[in-house]
Amino acid sequence: MNEEQRKEMSQIQSKDPNSADQNNLNRIKQKTSDDFMKYFETTYQPPNMRDAQRRKKKDTDVLYDFSIPEDMDQSGSGKKYMIRTYGCQMNEHDTEVMAGIFEAMGYESTSNTKEADVILLNTCAIRENAENRVFGEIGHLKPLKLENPNLVLGICGCMSQEESVVNRILKKHPFIDLIFGTHNIHRLPQLLKEAMFGKEMVIDVWSKEGDIIENLPRSRKGNIKAWVNIMYGCDKFCTYCIVPYTRGKERSRMPKDIIQEVRHLAAQGYKEVTLLGQNVNAYGKDLDIEYGLGDLMDELRSIDLPRIRFTTSHPRDFDDRLIEVLAKGGNMLDHIHLPVQSGNTDVLKIMGRKYSREEYLELVGKIRTAMPEATLTTDIIVGFPNETAEQFEDTISLVEEVGFEHAYTFIYSPRDNTPAAKMKDNIPMDEKKARLQRLNKIVNQQSADAMSQYEGEIVDVLVEGESKNNPDVLAGYTKRNKLVNFRAPDSVIGQIIPVKIIKAKTWSLDGELVQEKVEVN
Ligand code: 5AD
Ligand code: SF4
């Protein structure tokens, strides 16, 4: 392989999917299981981070100048909006920002599609089934639009960033009024105006990320737990993942802006803040200062807020400084979600994860030494193209060795224009399903075993409200992220209270209030 070819191959990883060299993509398509490893060992190169860094420094500005345009101010008075959210917490939080913008324009929220004047679907593109659900929902919304032509129907979020999705909507769902992506949420007022008064479908999807807008309004869901973005985008380019394309390059918020937001939430009485990013461990790498997630957590530790957590981690960037800070305890939680994806080094290499099984286990060892009480949870993909039975066994053995207490497990789903989607796959779907089932059985058993150790213990629970399954029971989480259900008066909602565990189940604990230690109104 000469230098030119190597460069071309590396571009497949780093380029915008739409401009990737078709010949190279075809070349990957021809690969068979046997030469995957040879191909990756000889030609795989990480994306060109130096270029990405340069581009970010030049391109990302931090702006504090958001305002509702005069002609849209109070334009929502007497009107209602509804946002249906799919996918991750990043999307949930984007919905809070859009809700804030709607409310700043005078709109009220509704959960009834029939009363809504605007309906937005904030979509997720991570796997094919997430997209299918959205297309199903678009079909359900069509009769509403026929009944009420003034209704504005919009699609936003990660799916909007995909060219194929936009084309499909244009061709098959022309009744949609508005499509916008993840980089231009702040333009919602202008886009709504165009959608209301124009005749054409409004499509405003930026392929390149723009500036960080700091002063967007937010209408937060609830007053106990809050989400705070610390960074946007992802530069990891795992070969199966669409996120670096739909969310753009990594862009960190300035520490002072994050600290101010968290302080403000603490002053408002929030009890838990989750710092959000697709790869939070890369926080700060794009800033001009020497400052990382560990430094940020250390500063946040001193804020009078009972619980601070973060999601999601990438093992590659999880450094000693962060472990040292987390081990200080206090409001740092005893739970680390550390996606591993596979327990086999060769599969990890083809996935572009940039760590080996051994390196992952070494990191787990460091965390366990520093935080012996911590709960570890993970994400796993089974049935990656050509994953052999032996490679899958390595995932099982790693799950057992680490003793994950919970795992989000997925069957690999090919995503358009990602490098993995070009790989030929010889594993039948039935085999993939069988692997998933086997893995889930083991994970569930480990979860049940971990739960059973709590029987008879007293744990501190942040009470969130009524249980989703039973309104007569309250529910909340421990510092190690265990769901606890128990009977108590509503006055304890929002407090952190001691609960005695009487029964362990597979995914939750049943407890009873330790009356004498709680002030009950
Ligand atoms: N197929 C299956 N699972 C995926 N994930 C990301 N992309 C894919 C895909 N193409 C999983 C990973 C990630 C989680 C959020 O979703 O496990 O950690
Ligand atoms: Fe996707 Fe996470 Fe990998 Fe980024 S680090 S590419 S978000 S799986």
Side-chain angles (χ1 to χ4, degrees), residues 234 236-238 240-241 243-244 278 314 353:
C234 179
K236 276 285 176 277
F237 289 92
C238 300
Y240 51 82
C241 187
V243 169
Q278 311 292 350
H314 190 293
R353 292 290 290 176

Side-chain angles (χ1 to χ4, degrees), residues 206-275:
W206 300 359
S207 52
K208 257 182 143 193
E209 55 289 326
D211 304 317
I212 293 181
I213 318 273
E214 273 301 336
N215 63 329
L216 291 171
R218 287 165 173 84
S219 172
R220 295 189 190 269
K221 222 164 123 186
N223 51 9
I224 302 168
K225 303 208 310 191
W227 292 300
V228 171
N229 279 120
I230 61 167
M231 62 189 298
Y232 304 94
C234 179
D235 285 344
K236 276 285 176 277
F237 289 92
C238 300
T239 56
Y240 51 82
C241 187
I242 200 164
V243 169
Y245 309 101
T246 60
R247 291 274 171 182
K249 290 282 167 194
E250 283 170 4
R251 289 147 288 147
S252 300
R253 288 178 70 196
M254 295 302 290
K256 70 172 174 48
D257 292 323
I258 299 168
I259 293 166
Q260 191 188 43
E261 187 176 340
V262 175
R263 277 218 179 98
H264 187 61
L265 290 165
Q268 286 178 293
Y270 281 88
K271 297 290 189 302
E272 180 175 308
V273 163
T274 303
L275 307 179

Side-chain angles (χ1 to χ4, degrees), residues 68 74 90 146 162 164 203 225 430 487 491 509 521:
I68 305 287
Q74 295 313 308
M90 187 67 74
L146 296 178
E162 291 180 90
S164 59
I203 304 175
K225 303 208 310 191
D430 280 352
R487 280 177 201 277
S491 56
L509 301 166
N521 299 331

Side-chain angles (χ1 to χ4, degrees), residues 129-302:
N129 55 5
E131 295 201 353
N132 290 342
R133 278 177 61 207
V134 170
F135 278 115
E137 185 60 22
I138 292 176
H140 290 143
L141 293 175
K142 188 174 178 182
L144 281 177
K145 180 73 186 174
L146 296 178
E147 246 171 65
N148 172 13
N150 290 329
L151 170 68
V152 174
L153 283 183
I155 309 294
C156 57
C158 287
M159 278 171 70
S160 309
Q161 295 288 143
E162 291 180 90
E163 201 179 325
S164 59
V165 168
V166 175
N167 286 339
R168 182 166 163 187
I169 293 173
L170 270 166
K171 277 201 200 113
K172 299 204 170 147
H173 309 283
F175 55 92
I176 294 293
D177 302 285
L178 168 64
I179 307 177
F180 62 100
T182 55
H183 304 314
N184 49 348
I185 286 176
H186 58 283
R187 288 198 7 96
L188 182 57
Q190 290 88 337
L191 296 173
L192 272 179
K193 185 175 156 189
E194 287 173 38
M196 277 168 186
F197 301 111
K199 287 203 179 81
E200 306 287 321
M201 189 189 294
V202 177
I203 304 175
D204 194 56
V205 182
W206 300 359
S207 52
K208 257 182 143 193
E209 55 289 326
D211 304 317
I212 293 181
I213 318 273
E214 273 301 336
N215 63 329
L216 291 171
R218 287 165 173 84
S219 172
R220 295 189 190 269
K221 222 164 123 186
N223 51 9
I224 302 168
K225 303 208 310 191
W227 292 300
V228 171
N229 279 120
I230 61 167
M231 62 189 298
Y232 304 94
C234 179
D235 285 344
K236 276 285 176 277
F237 289 92
C238 300
T239 56
Y240 51 82
C241 187
I242 200 164
V243 169
Y245 309 101
T246 60
R247 291 274 171 182
K249 290 282 167 194
E250 283 170 4
R251 289 147 288 147
S252 300
R253 288 178 70 196
M254 295 302 290
K256 70 172 174 48
D257 292 323
I258 299 168
I259 293 166
Q260 191 188 43
E261 187 176 340
V262 175
R263 277 218 179 98
H264 187 61
L265 290 165
Q268 286 178 293
Y270 281 88
K271 297 290 189 302
E272 180 175 308
V273 163
T274 303
L275 307 179
L276 284 183
Q278 311 292 350
N279 169 19
V280 284
N281 305 81
Y283 173 75
K285 290 195 167 176
D286 57 308
L287 297 174
D288 281 332
I289 47 176
E290 276 283 309
Y291 192 92
L293 182 63
D295 302 305
L296 179 67
M297 290 298 274
D298 208 23
E299 288 203 64
L300 294 175
R301 252 168 35 81
S302 60

Side-chain angles (χ1 to χ4, degrees), residues 126-127 240-242 339 341 379-381 408 410-415:
I126 198 98
R127 281 171 291 275
Y240 51 82
C241 187
I242 200 164
Q341 313 300 0
D379 291 351
I380 295 169
I381 297 176
Y408 295 100
F410 311 100
I411 291 181
Y412 165 72
S413 168
R415 304 285 60 222

Side-chain angles (χ1 to χ4, degrees), residues 184-464:
N184 49 348
I185 286 176
H186 58 283
R187 288 198 7 96
L188 182 57
Q190 290 88 337
L191 296 173
L192 272 179
K193 185 175 156 189
E194 287 173 38
M196 277 168 186
F197 301 111
K199 287 203 179 81
E200 306 287 321
M201 189 189 294
V202 177
I203 304 175
D204 194 56
V205 182
W206 300 359
S207 52
K208 257 182 143 193
E209 55 289 326
D211 304 317
I212 293 181
I213 318 273
E214 273 301 336
N215 63 329
L216 291 171
R218 287 165 173 84
S219 172
R220 295 189 190 269
K221 222 164 123 186
N223 51 9
I224 302 168
K225 303 208 310 191
W227 292 300
V228 171
N229 279 120
I230 61 167
M231 62 189 298
Y232 304 94
C234 179
D235 285 344
K236 276 285 176 277
F237 289 92
C238 300
T239 56
Y240 51 82
C241 187
I242 200 164
V243 169
Y245 309 101
T246 60
R247 291 274 171 182
K249 290 282 167 194
E250 283 170 4
R251 289 147 288 147
S252 300
R253 288 178 70 196
M254 295 302 290
K256 70 172 174 48
D257 292 323
I258 299 168
I259 293 166
Q260 191 188 43
E261 187 176 340
V262 175
R263 277 218 179 98
H264 187 61
L265 290 165
Q268 286 178 293
Y270 281 88
K271 297 290 189 302
E272 180 175 308
V273 163
T274 303
L275 307 179
L276 284 183
Q278 311 292 350
N279 169 19
V280 284
N281 305 81
Y283 173 75
K285 290 195 167 176
D286 57 308
L287 297 174
D288 281 332
I289 47 176
E290 276 283 309
Y291 192 92
L293 182 63
D295 302 305
L296 179 67
M297 290 298 274
D298 208 23
E299 288 203 64
L300 294 175
R301 252 168 35 81
S302 60
I303 296 180
D304 186 15
L305 179 77
R307 294 182 173 189
I308 304 180
R309 59 169 78 239
F310 53 83
T311 195
T312 263
S313 286
H314 190 293
R316 167 75 183 228
D317 298 319
F318 207 110
D319 58 20
D320 294 351
R321 166 79 174 133
L322 178 61
I323 298 176
E324 171 207 320
V325 172
L326 294 180
K328 294 181 186 175
N331 52 8
M332 308 279 102
L333 294 194
D334 266 345
H335 167 224
I336 294 176
H337 186 69
L338 195 59
V340 66
Q341 313 300 0
S342 166
N344 176 272
T345 297
D346 283 348
V347 174
L348 288 170
K349 200 174 244 178
I350 304 171
M351 286 178 162
R353 292 290 290 176
K354 304 176 185 79
Y355 54 84
S356 63
R357 174 189 173 96
E358 290 69 32
E359 283 163 340
Y360 185 90
L361 288 173
E362 197 186 319
L363 173 61
V364 167
K366 278 191 201 170
I367 294 172
R368 289 250 187 263
T369 307
M371 307 167 67
E373 304 279 278
T375 293
L376 281 175
T377 59
T378 198
D379 291 351
I380 295 169
I381 297 176
V382 304
F384 192 74
N386 304 302
E387 178 194 60
T388 64
E390 295 77 43
Q391 289 169 335
F392 174 67
E393 287 309 317
D394 283 345
T395 297
I396 297 283
S397 72
L398 181 126
V399 165
E400 289 173 339
E401 189 170 339
V402 176
F404 294 115
E405 296 183 19
H406 178 70
Y408 295 100
T409 56
F410 311 100
I411 291 181
Y412 165 72
S413 168
R415 304 285 60 222
D416 263 3
N417 290 312
T418 56
K422 318 291 178 229
M423 296 171 188
K424 249 166 103 185
D425 187 8
N426 58 15
I427 312 293
M429 187 46 92
D430 280 352
E431 172 62 25
K432 296 188 185 211
K433 285 185 181 160
R435 287 181 194 174
L436 184 73
Q437 254 183 17
R438 193 165 146 232
L439 175 64
N440 284 345
K441 217 169 143 196
I442 291 168
V443 171
N444 292 346
Q445 188 56 51
Q446 289 185 185
S447 171
D449 291 348
M451 292 294 187
S452 68
Q453 298 179 11
Y454 287 91
E455 279 185 2
E457 299 279 308
I458 293 178
V459 289
D460 281 342
V461 176
L462 170 54
V463 191
E464 292 184 16

